[in-house]
Amino acid sequence: MTKPEIKCRTIPELKEELAALGEKPFRAQQIFRWMHTGVSDFDEMTNLSKPLRTKLRENYLLTAPRIVRKQVSALDGTIKYLWELHDGNCVESVFMRYHHGNSACVSSQVGCRMGCKFCASGIGGLVRSLSAGEILDQILFMQKDTGERISNIVLMGTGEPLDNYDNVLRFLELVGSPDGLNIGQRHISLSTSGLADQIDRLAEEKLQITLSVSLHSPDNESRSAMMPVNRSYPVERLIRSCRHYFDVTGRRVSYEYTMIDGVSDRPWQAKKLAALLHGRPAHVNLIPLNAVTESGLRPSTRQHVSAFQKILESSGVTATVRRTLGPDIDASCGQLRRSYIEQSNEKE
Ligand code: SAH
Ligand code: SF4
């Protein structure tokens, strides 16, 4: 039987389990603090007795991802990591430097089952979901590697976070713990392809995180062609959930909108988008497509992007064109893992 991952545990859970192992409750907080420093072996928890460390090793798995690849942008210091997990699977994360602090983009699953046409993460389907501890590990080990604190998190790496709902929620609880990384919900964004039922469920949690919705198109025809999820939750249904999310949490929803030449960048689509978002505070991030070789889709021209932005703004919708960090290492979401898998296949 595989041992449970200790980094998935909250302090109250640890207290209970330690009591069952005959340990004092105050050890829970001590161990929890160690877990969140990025130690990779129980022996590094130096203020615990040797017998206790042995007991922990016998009862728990202490995950510690290994860096398999690391790409550092020579332009702005953005770092892209590819990690190997304890079962040999790989996930990627990105460390970004902004004037307001460091930000981490983390993965929530190995692969993804949503199958969006423009995305490298979905090509091989879903392998498995990450545990709360494995999502947390990406942050802990980026901090360890850089020696710098991370103050903002975006759940925008590989995977659909709302398809891994319970583990993602547990991750949010762990990362916000004052004895752990203590990163507040207002410093966290969760990006979803639009699982509307799960958005409704998330609203009821009444969290203060930013919900970021990958809309990419305001009309069902082109959205369904790019994103199979739209066949289950069409645009109007999705927007209803987004409005509800704002009404319940008071948090402005962000929309990701990838600019794809001839597919999503036409002026009538900008008008339709503005009409769709009318009535609730919203923010649109226009993202030039990162061409994934397999997809055959091309990014919009700069002229089309700015024309689109102007239409939105003249209708009262704020829109920014996303600054591309680390353009020299740019490999959007899932591309690093993809190229690694392909290389490994070539070697075989
Ligand atoms: N599954 C979630 C979060 C991970 S994807 C979601 O889809 O929202 C993170 C973001 O990257 C999404 O907005 C996604 O649409 C976008 N994305 C994926 N592939 C891209 C590409 N080739 N170019 C630009 N953005 C891309
Ligand atoms: Fe999955 Fe998001 Fe990629 Fe779609 S864009 S395949 S939901 S990771």
Side-chain angles (χ1 to χ4, degrees):
M1 207 185 80
T2 50
K3 291 181 258 185
E5 292 174 30
I6 197 162
K7 274 188 219 165
C8 294
R9 294 291 188 261
T10 60
I11 295 182
E13 288 166 348
L14 272 179
K15 270 192 187 151
E16 214 175 296
E17 293 176 5
L18 287 170
L21 294 173
E23 293 294 332
K24 298 258 180 346
F26 78 89
R27 293 283 177 208
Q29 190 186 36
Q30 225 174 4
I31 296 168
F32 188 88
R33 286 187 177 161
W34 273 117
M35 279 154 39
H36 294 248
T37 59
V39 289
S40 39
D41 193 288
F42 287 109
D43 278 338
E44 291 173 48
M45 302 184 176
T46 46
N47 59 357
L48 306 183
S49 70
K50 205 146 193 273
L52 175 55
R53 284 184 251 154
T54 307
K55 210 183 264 184
L56 291 174
R57 188 174 300 110
E58 283 167 3
N59 287 281
Y60 295 103
L61 177 68
L62 181 70
T63 51
R66 187 177 68 84
I67 299 176
V68 244
R69 276 205 191 163
K70 182 175 158 183
Q71 297 182 336
V72 185
S73 164
L75 301 174
D76 57 26
T78 297
I79 310 173
K80 186 141 187 159
Y81 291 91
L82 185 70
W83 311 100
E84 187 183 81
L85 308 174
H86 64 94
D87 63 354
N89 277 308
C90 290
V91 289
E92 56 195 86
S93 329
V94 185
F95 177 92
M96 294 161 287
R97 291 190 174 87
Y98 290 101
H99 58 270
H100 59 265
N102 298 324
S103 207
C105 173
V106 297
S107 294
S108 56
Q109 296 181 311
V110 181
C112 182
R113 75 168 103 210
M114 308 309 291
C116 305
K117 295 283 184 299
F118 46 79
C119 175
S121 296
I123 293 171
L126 175 70
V127 179
R128 71 168 173 89
S129 282
L130 297 186
S131 68
E134 288 173 322
I135 305 174
L136 184 69
D137 269 340
Q138 299 168 54
I139 300 164
L140 297 174
F141 285 84
M142 281 195 273
Q143 288 199 156
K144 188 175 185 178
D145 185 62
T146 57
E148 293 177 44
R149 189 181 129 76
I150 286 166
S151 49
N152 290 280
I153 301 168
V154 290
L155 278 155
M156 244 191 215
T158 297
E160 168 50 57
L162 297 184
D163 184 36
N164 184 17
Y165 192 91
D166 294 338
N167 291 342
V168 165
L169 253 85
R170 178 169 280 262
F171 159 74
L172 295 174
E173 183 183 349
L174 292 171
V175 85
S177 167
D179 288 299
L181 292 178
N182 198 14
I183 300 179
Q185 289 173 4
R186 286 171 178 261
H187 297 272
I188 302 175
S189 294
L190 181 152
S191 176
T192 178
S193 59
L195 292 170
D197 284 334
Q198 300 292 65
I199 294 176
D200 292 344
R201 192 174 160 200
L202 187 67
E204 296 316 313
E205 314 275 354
K206 302 205 169 44
L207 303 177
Q208 286 297 297
I209 60 172
T210 298
L211 178 68
S212 181
V213 174
S214 300
L215 192 60
H216 304 317
S217 173
D219 57 285
N220 286 319
E221 197 188 332
S222 55
R223 191 163 193 269
S224 290
M226 287 190 284
M227 305 177 72
V229 64
N230 197 66
R231 291 179 211 140
S232 312
Y233 301 105
V235 171
E236 304 70 37
R237 168 72 186 86
L238 173 57
I239 296 296
R240 188 155 29 100
S241 292
C242 297
R243 287 171 172 258
H244 177 70
Y245 187 87
F246 171 80
D247 292 341
V248 171
T249 64
R251 301 286 293 158
R252 179 181 81 167
V253 175
S254 254
Y255 294 89
E256 305 296 303
Y257 196 99
T258 303
M259 300 296 292
I260 308 177
D261 189 39
V263 175
S264 64
D265 63 353
R266 289 162 288 189
W268 69 266
Q269 287 170 313
K271 288 181 198 137
K272 190 162 172 125
L273 177 61
L276 206 59
L277 302 184
H278 183 75
R280 296 287 188 289
H283 181 89
V284 178
N285 274 315
L286 298 172
I287 314 150
L289 175 79
N290 244 300
V292 174
T293 356
E294 287 91 338
S295 76
L297 301 168
R298 287 185 317 274
S300 305
T301 61
R302 205 181 298 171
Q303 288 83 341
H304 285 166
V305 176
S306 68
F308 200 94
Q309 183 184 21
K310 280 204 187 89
I311 297 175
L312 288 179
E313 299 217 306
S314 66
S315 320
V317 175
T318 59
T320 42
V321 180
R322 160 117 14 114
R323 178 163 75 101
T324 18
L325 284 176
D328 54 335
I329 56 164
D330 215 348
S332 79
C333 210
Q335 290 185 348
L336 190 60
R337 176 172 161 264
R338 198 74 226 144
S339 71
Y340 184 70
I341 293 174
E342 273 158 14
Q343 267 185 12
S344 316
N345 289 346
E346 278 161 21
K347 275 189 221 137
E348 277 167 13

